[in-house]
Amino acid sequence: MQLLRITSQPIKYELSVEPARLEFANVPKNPQGTVHRQPTQMDIRTKDIEVRLDTTEMRASLNLRSVGSWIELFANRGMQKGRAAIGEAVQTGNKMAQIDDGVTVAQIAQQKMMERASFETYTTFIPSAGVQTDWDPATVNLDYQPGSVQTEWQIEQNVMNYVPGKFHIEVLQYPKIEIEYLGEPVYVPASAAPGYES
């Protein structure tokens, strides 16, 4: 005869699982660019030819002089005449010093008169001097600055949030074991049992 009855109750639970996921917090738009353009520039600077004509010498050959030029001319002529007069005086003195060689003062005076009476002829063209020409050539300066293009890009980044997974367990019924004794109690000593008959 079976004296024990064992009853077991299994555990009962519910599982809920939420998987991990990525959430986009910011969906990027297409890249945007800003273009800065500097146009090409060319700067051209020109300088015309410069011609300088100096007619001072030509006008002087025609006796068309300025007041300053006349003063300079007469001053030079006066110096030349003064030097020539000193030279003639020296030569006359030297000749007079040779009187002892048979040269008389009358001969010296006659020779001087003959020198003054003589003259020279020459042919000249007027104006005898030309125009002095001086010139600076024409110039062209180029200043070229090439154009440029600069692009600034605005690129948005992906912004994602990571949501971790969740695991939830709920116990609905805990396990248990019930042991039930089916027999009668055993008293020790046996005389302690109710209804004991000897």
Side-chain angles (χ1 to χ4, degrees), residues 7 13 16 19 35 59 76 83 88 99 108 111 114-115 153 162 166 171 174 182 189 196:
T7 305
Y13 58 89
S16 60
V35 178
R59 287 184 288 108
N76 290 334
R83 289 175 185 161
E88 289 180 5
I99 292 179
I108 295 172
Q111 184 178 0
M114 293 295 293
E115 289 175 358
W153 289 101
Y162 173 72
K166 293 181 180 180
V171 178
Y174 289 96
L182 299 177
Y196 174 75

Side-chain angles (χ1 to χ4, degrees), residues 58-76:
M58 183 187 72
R59 287 184 288 108
S61 66
L62 296 172
N63 283 332
L64 300 174
R65 300 174 180 269
S66 63
V67 175
S69 178
W70 281 114
I71 292 173
E72 182 180 1
L73 177 66
F74 290 139
N76 290 334

Side-chain angles (χ1 to χ4, degrees), residues 5-21:
R5 182 171 61 192
I6 301 173
T7 305
S8 65
Q9 179 179 333
I11 188 172
K12 291 183 180 180
Y13 58 89
E14 285 184 357
L15 292 177
S16 60
V17 179
E18 184 178 344
R21 67 185 184 276

